Amino acid sequence: MFAFNMLDDDETIPNNPLTDPNLRKAMVSAIDRDAIVQALWGDSTFVPTPFNFPEYGDYFDPDRKRAYPFDPERAKELLAASDYDGEELEWHITRGFYPNYEIAAEFMIEQWRDVGINVKMTIVDNFSLAYERPFHMLNMSMSSDFSGDPWRPLWLDWGPNSSRVTAKHKTYVPTDKFLELGDKFVKAQDFDSRKAAYLELVAEWEDITPGMYLWRNVVSYGVRDGLDWDPGNSAVTIFDNRFLKVQ
């Protein structure tokens, strides 16, 4: 995914057009992510609805739709409702870190151009350089922890103590409503009330639009004959007897 830099001050980026939520929503609506993912990955992955993965068990809803799907006409309407005036938006991308990311970015820049949004891709060699300001957009990979519960990606990755809010490369400040709903989500005691709070919090995240999911990350691997390996669903590769069996 990527994060929009929503801040506007001398320390981050003055006169930042992305403080306007209509511009952020227009940018999400202008991108045909399903077509891009199909072109780059085939059937290996998919574009997720925010914070909605099968690993979340009863929280997962395969029928829940994204609030801002691909809709270029809606993108133009949102853009017209914004204060955007053609300013160049700079997108910092770390070279080669996320497979196919730079290629996807080229497609996206052209689709933004089609609706009147001017984005420049700046590719750098490491995250330290990517974090150097000024930037309007920043590549990232988060909000997709597969631990069986949406609490960590939704609240820990976007709440008041997250890197998006506190780090040197911070990109946004949560709304009062997001904090209120997050507190409700954290304090819920039973599943039904917790799921209802989760859905309210997701709806507020989509209304803020602080970032955009691109695709579920793809990890490919090969295993030789005679080994039975369960890769699990962690970013850590483990080869002990809990995950690896010799046949």
Side-chain angles (χ1 to χ4, degrees):
M1 71 184 307
F2 68 80
F4 290 115
N5 179 9
M6 297 167 46
L7 306 178
D8 183 14
D9 56 50
D10 291 338
E11 178 188 357
T12 54
I13 186 165
N15 303 314
N16 182 5
L18 285 171
T19 58
D20 190 328
N22 284 318
L23 175 57
R24 301 194 299 271
K25 293 170 184 177
M27 294 182 72
V28 174
S29 301
I31 300 302
D32 190 350
R33 286 172 282 172
D34 292 305
I36 291 172
V37 169
Q38 183 63 35
L40 295 178
W41 296 104
D43 296 326
S44 298
T45 189
F46 59 93
V47 180
T49 297
F51 309 99
N52 191 43
F53 292 94
E55 288 82 2
Y56 294 168
D58 289 338
Y59 290 98
F60 175 62
D61 180 359
D63 297 321
R64 181 159 67 83
K65 306 299 182 183
R66 302 191 288 271
Y68 296 95
F70 175 56
D71 187 339
E73 293 308 312
R74 188 183 186 191
K76 291 175 184 177
E77 292 172 0
L78 289 162
L79 186 62
S82 77
D83 294 325
Y84 180 68
D85 193 29
E87 298 93 334
E88 184 178 76
L89 306 177
E90 186 166 1
W91 186 2
H92 282 192
I93 296 175
T94 306
R95 186 189 312 277
F97 193 85
Y98 303 115
N100 281 337
Y101 199 102
E102 292 99 317
I103 301 173
E106 291 184 41
F107 282 112
M108 293 165 68
I109 287 170
E110 292 306 312
Q111 290 190 317
W112 282 320
R113 192 189 314 277
D114 288 343
V115 299
I117 300 171
N118 180 19
V119 176
K120 180 182 77 171
M121 172 172 50
T122 299
I123 299 177
V124 297
D125 289 328
N126 55 59
F127 277 97
S128 294
L129 294 174
Y131 293 157
E132 287 186 2
R133 301 186 188 276
F135 61 81
H136 294 94
M137 299 148 65
L138 180 65
N139 66 185
M140 54 184 281
S141 177
M142 57 188 298
S143 308
S144 57
D145 184 76
F146 305 128
S147 60
D149 188 299
W151 175 71
R152 175 175 178 175
L154 178 54
W155 184 240
L156 292 189
D157 285 350
W158 292 96
N161 298 315
S162 67
S163 62
R164 297 275 69 78
V165 179
T166 62
K168 184 179 180 180
H169 54 278
K170 60 188 177 182
T171 54
Y172 98 123
V173 176
T175 62
D176 290 341
K177 184 176 181 181
F178 188 85
L179 296 176
E180 177 185 341
L181 292 173
D183 186 61
K184 181 180 177 182
F185 177 48
V186 169
K187 292 179 178 178
Q189 296 298 306
D190 61 85
F191 176 78
D192 288 341
S193 59
R194 197 164 188 267
K195 184 174 182 179
Y198 145 74
L199 291 173
E200 288 183 302
L201 191 57
V202 171
E204 176 64 8
W205 187 92
E206 289 197 273
D207 190 53
I208 299 168
T209 316
M212 186 174 85
Y213 279 90
L214 299 179
W215 56 78
R216 175 171 174 157
N217 192 32
V218 178
V219 177
S220 302
Y221 59 90
V223 180
R224 71 170 176 81
D225 291 343
L227 296 178
D228 180 15
W229 180 55
D230 177 2
N233 52 12
S234 168
V236 179
T237 304
I238 304 174
F239 293 106
D240 67 15
N241 60 6
R242 293 170 298 166
F243 294 85
L244 182 65
K245 306 293 183 185
V246 178
Q247 297 175 339

